[in-house]
Structure formats: structure tokens, C-alpha cells
Amino acid sequence: MEKSKQRVKKKYICPNPLFVKWLTEWKQEASEKGLKTQYVYGKALSSLKKYPLPLSSGKEAKILEYFGDKICAMLDAKLVEWKQSNTSPSNSQSSSQSSSCASSNSSNDELTKSKPINKVISSQIPKNAVEIKTVNLGRIPPIPQAVNIANKTENKYEKDLNSCSFDLNTFYLLPGRFSILLCVDNCETLSGHGKSKQIFLSELKKCGVEYEVRKLHVGDFLWIARDSFDSEKELVLDFVVERKRMDDLAHSIKDGRFREQKFRMKNSGLRNPIYLVENCSGAKYLGLPESTLEQAMINTQICDGFNVKRTQGIKESVAYLSLVTKMLRSKYQDLTLMSGSRDIVQKKSLSSNVFMSFKDFNCSSVKNKSLTVKEMFAKHLLQFFGLSVDRAAAIVEIFKTPSDLLEAYEECHSENEKVQLISSIKYGLQKKNIGPALSRSIQQFYSPS
């Protein structure tokens, strides 16, 4: 009698063994050190094991869930290091392992053109490999653009990751699965100039701008990206607008709100603050000379680093907001956006595709919240005549509290050395020195007699 044939289980080849190996090592290292990044690596590892195709680079892994720019860049750096140590064909790993490092050009073209996955699988399987059951997952989205930071070293990425406090509630907005809309502060529709407020909303509708009226603690307008399937997932993009009529600008300068609003916008965590000023020409009977208002707008743009947009009325302002909305949609619609805390968002070394959630942003921007000593010190410095927001921010980055500044003055051996302590600090985009005049004013106030 013939022996009964035993059923042979089909074996599945791991298409990305190197990436799995490195992520496992990083997860174990983070776990041993008690770092929260172990959970980030764990989620990425689980997502990678479910993906049936070989990846040619870390950048390509961006299409997977839980793969942000940092992890992708770390994989690319590790991949460069591995390729340098395996230049000889005899030192290369098995065909299944090498497929994780370099895919053919044809397969890359198929991926970027969103070919069906089951066709790609058949082209990637070596002839001598065990049969693999094809998985029909439909069409995959195009690979999103990513910041080219692969030339940085692995240690640099690990240092940045470990220094950030990752939120376990981190979420992603995938290309084609979110919408971008304008948020309008409810004060722009409920208080003062009631007729003009209604005209403003009416003009927004005419321009086809998708908007929502909400309570904003900073600025009058900002833009959010919202998940199309989960309205709770909202990210605040890096643009915030403060709208001022000329009479409002004059009143805010006289009562001190002008400087406070600029400080809060600069401290909001959004990189592109904008001042939108209406009715710039023919300003009369405002309580301040027109030259003073013009100088205030110039200082806001040159010294404080704001983008100042001047318009002649509501229609022109709405047209500008509509243009910015279209620009943001064009910029972000093909990218994968990631949520992050304020600390992560403000790190310049991280990708520009990381944003605060709307809930976190609005809660952290409450006007009457308890301020830190550093924030109170900055607000105190703003009371010195001629000391701008950028100058105050530069000072508190070095001397975070008044006691730090007092201790530094005590260690100086001469009056000239005390003046140099502040005057040599650089501020703003052009990195200019604060200068001796302001430094002497601060020294006279804070330096012990």
C-alpha cells in the first residue's frame, strides 16, 4: 500500500527580514532602558509583519501604519550601513533577505502607480521559493512624499526619538482620507460689527471655502486636517491668522493687547503666524497717527517675523483666506500627517508633517491658564520699550528665569561684561544682536546695586 501523503503546510517568506530584525532590536533596547519608544517600535513592527511585499527603503515604509518620518529615516540610515558592510555578493543574505534592501525598478514603478498587490507579489517571488498564497488587498495608495533626512546618522535619530515624549494616542491621517477646512473664531461672528461679521461669512460661502465656526483661544483663523472617517481626529496645520481692522489695531496698541497677542501667537507652537490688516489706506480718527500704525505693522513683519497681509476690505480678506486654503490642500493632500505633542512639533529636526491635535492645541492656548516662570519672565521682558517678541524669546532661551539672569550678572567682573551678557544674544531669522541699548535697560532693572 502506498503511504498516505502527508499534508504539507505552506511556508510564508518574510519579505522584509532586515527591517523586522532592526525594529526588534530597537524595541528591546528601548524596553531595557524603560523608554516609551518601545511601544512605537512595537506597533511599527506589528504593522510591518502584516505587509506582504518587499520594501526597497525605509522611505517606502511610510505607507504603513505607525511608520513616521523618524523611523523611516532610521531604517534608511541602517540600510546604508548594512549595504556598506555587504558590498560583496558572497556576503549577501538569502534572496528573501536581499529583497528587503533592493527591489527591481519595475516593481518600484508598479508600487508608485498603485498596481494591484497580487500582481506585484507574483513578480517578486523567486522561482525556487515555496508557493505563497496570494493576498488580494486591492489597490494601495501612492507612496507619500517624505522629508529627505536619510543622510543623518542613526544615533542622531535615536537621540531625538528618546528625547521626545511620545503619546500612546498618536494617530495618522493618510493621503486621500482627510479634508482640510478653515476654522473661524466665534468672536468673528458674534461680537462687534455684527453686519460685517455676517458679510464675512457670506463671502466665505461665495468663494466655496469649507469652514467651521469654533472657539479659538489664539488667532481668528486657522486650518485643520480632519479624518474623513473619524471626526475626532483633527490636526492643526502650521498657519494661524489674526485679523485686524485699522481701528481695532489702534485700540489694541493703546491698551496693550497688540503685544500680548503677538506673544501668544509666537508661543502657540504654529510656525507661520499671519497678521491680516484691513483698510490700510485713508485711516483717520483712530486715536493714533497713521504713521504709528504703519510702523507697528513694519515692526511686526521685520522684528517679530510675522507675515503681514494688508487688504482693502472684507472681500479681499476672504479672497486671501480662500487662496491659503487652496494652497494648503495642494501642499498636504498627498502626504501622511501625524499627531504629536507640542514638544515634538516644535523640534526643528523633526518632519514638518507632524502637527498638534486640535484638542491639545486649544487646551494649551487658553489665555488665563497658569504660566510657567519662563513664560512670565518673557511677558515681563516685553514691557521694556523696544523689546520685541523675538528678542524676549531669545533671552529666555538662555536665561529661563530672572534668578538665572541675576546669577549671571553676579559672576560678571565689570559693567561692560554685564552689558555684553544680553547685547551679544542673537534673535530672529537674520540672527542680529540684541544690542547694547536694550541690554543696559535690562541690566539697570535686574542687576543688583
Side-chain angles (χ1 to χ4, degrees):
M1 294 178 63
E2 296 181 0
K3 295 182 179 179
S4 58
K5 295 182 180 180
Q6 295 181 353
R7 180 177 296 178
V8 179
K9 292 184 179 179
K10 295 179 181 180
K11 297 181 180 179
Y12 293 86
I13 298 174
C14 176
N16 301 285
L18 291 177
F19 287 178
V20 170
K21 176 176 177 286
W22 295 332
L23 283 170
T24 303
E25 290 175 354
W26 295 336
K27 178 186 175 183
Q28 291 175 350
E29 290 175 5
S31 178
E32 291 172 358
K33 296 177 182 178
L35 301 176
K36 291 183 178 180
T37 51
Q38 61 177 299
Y39 305 111
V40 179
Y41 293 136
K43 290 180 179 180
L45 183 60
S46 177
S47 177
L48 178 63
K49 289 179 178 179
K50 297 175 183 177
Y51 191 66
L53 295 179
L55 299 167
S56 63
S57 65
K59 179 181 178 180
E60 225 176 80
K62 189 71 179 295
I63 63 174
L64 303 181
E65 193 176 10
Y66 305 115
F67 275 79
D69 288 324
K70 298 301 295 181
I71 291 182
C72 292
M74 288 174 63
L75 290 173
D76 277 331
K78 192 74 174 177
L79 196 55
V80 171
E81 180 184 336
W82 183 87
K83 286 182 179 180
Q84 290 174 351
S85 60
N86 291 271
T87 54
S88 173
S90 60
N91 292 334
S92 62
Q93 300 187 42
S94 65
S95 59
S96 63
Q97 290 174 320
S98 60
S99 65
S100 66
C101 305
S103 297
S104 63
N105 293 331
S106 61
S107 64
N108 285 336
D109 292 339
E110 289 179 9
L111 282 174
T112 54
K113 292 178 183 177
S114 301
K115 296 279 186 176
I117 283 184
N118 55 348
K119 293 184 180 180
V120 179
I121 290 179
S122 61
S123 66
Q124 298 295 316
I125 302 173
K127 294 181 179 179
N128 58 350
V130 181
E131 179 187 359
I132 300 177
K133 183 178 180 181
T134 58
V135 182
N136 186 8
L137 298 180
R139 301 171 67 88
I140 61 173
I143 300 173
Q145 300 174 10
V147 179
N148 184 18
I149 49 177
N151 57 337
K152 297 185 179 180
T153 61
E154 175 186 349
N155 291 336
K156 176 68 169 60
Y157 297 124
E158 287 192 318
K159 181 179 178 182
D160 286 343
L161 277 171
N162 294 338
S163 63
C164 298
S165 55
F166 280 91
D167 185 357
L168 296 180
N169 296 321
T170 296
F171 61 87
Y172 298 81
L173 301 183
L174 301 178
R177 299 187 179 183
F178 63 86
S179 58
I180 293 177
L181 63 150
L182 173 68
C183 282
V184 182
D185 183 26
N186 58 9
C187 291
E188 286 292 297
T189 60
L190 298 178
S191 63
H193 310 291
K195 186 176 180 180
S196 66
K197 306 291 185 181
Q198 295 304 317
I199 294 175
F200 197 95
L201 294 181
S202 176
E203 290 297 323
L204 281 176
K205 293 178 181 178
K206 287 181 182 179
C207 289
V209 178
E210 186 180 358
Y211 72 91
E212 280 192 3
V213 178
R214 299 185 179 186
K215 174 62 179 175
L216 303 179
H217 296 299
V218 172
D220 296 319
F221 306 97
L222 54 81
W223 287 264
I224 63 170
R226 176 196 290 166
D227 192 300
S228 302
F229 304 98
D230 187 351
S231 60
E232 296 295 321
K233 295 181 178 179
E234 296 178 329
L235 298 179
V236 181
L237 303 182
D238 272 330
F239 293 81
V240 57
V241 179
E242 180 71 26
R243 176 187 174 220
K244 292 286 185 189
R245 288 165 47 98
M246 288 296 280
D247 53 349
D248 293 334
L249 179 62
H251 293 153
S252 66
I253 291 174
K254 289 192 291 185
D255 63 21
R257 288 184 294 113
F258 182 59
R259 300 183 70 168
E260 182 192 7
Q261 286 173 341
K262 288 195 295 184
F263 172 76
R264 295 181 67 236
M265 288 177 72
K266 290 284 285 188
N267 198 46
S268 67
L270 304 184
R271 298 184 182 95
N272 299 288
I274 301 171
Y275 246 88
L276 180 62
V277 184
E278 289 182 4
N279 304 325
C280 296
S281 62
K284 296 180 180 179
Y285 313 114
L286 299 175
L288 286 176
E290 187 174 354
S291 60
T292 300
L293 300 180
E294 290 288 338
Q295 188 62 53
M297 287 185 281
I298 292 172
N299 290 343
T300 300
Q301 186 165 4
I302 303 294
C303 301
D304 298 326
F306 281 63
N307 182 7
V308 177
K309 176 64 180 177
R310 306 183 184 196
T311 64
Q312 296 303 319
I314 291 177
K315 290 187 177 180
E316 195 172 327
S317 297
V318 171
Y320 174 73
L321 294 173
S322 175
L323 185 64
V324 176
T325 303
K326 292 177 182 177
M327 181 271 294
L328 293 176
R329 285 175 180 166
S330 175
K331 180 178 181 180
Y332 293 112
Q333 63 183 355
D334 295 326
L335 302 180
T336 297
L337 310 184
M338 171 185 174
S339 67
S341 66
R342 177 189 287 257
D343 293 338
I344 296 177
V345 171
Q346 290 180 327
K347 273 189 173 291
K348 295 181 180 179
S349 59
L350 292 178
S351 165
S352 58
N353 298 344
V354 182
F355 304 98
M356 286 182 281
S357 68
F358 178 82
K359 182 178 180 181
D360 290 343
F361 168 79
N362 229 21
C363 290
S364 65
S365 303
V366 177
K367 186 174 181 179
N368 296 324
K369 69 170 185 175
S370 300
L371 300 178
T372 64
V373 177
K374 179 179 177 181
E375 291 171 338
M376 281 299 298
F377 186 29
K379 293 189 72 172
H380 193 185
L381 289 172
L382 286 174
Q383 305 311 309
F384 287 91
F385 180 77
L387 204 151
S388 65
V389 174
D390 274 1
R391 290 184 175 98
I395 293 172
V396 298
E397 279 301 313
I398 298 176
F399 307 105
K400 301 187 183 303
T401 65
S403 61
D404 292 342
L405 183 60
L406 289 173
E407 290 175 3
Y409 278 135
E410 290 177 356
E411 294 175 359
C412 295
H413 303 291
S414 64
E415 290 297 314
N416 184 52
E417 192 175 344
K418 290 181 179 180
V419 173
Q420 288 294 321
L421 200 64
I422 297 294
S423 66
S424 60
I425 296 177
K426 299 188 181 299
Y427 72 94
L429 296 175
Q430 298 181 350
K431 300 300 179 184
K432 293 183 178 180
N433 291 334
I434 290 179
L438 277 173
S439 181
R440 288 193 183 95
S441 298
I442 296 172
Q443 177 208 342
Q444 292 172 3
F445 187 88
Y446 285 103
S447 181
S449 56

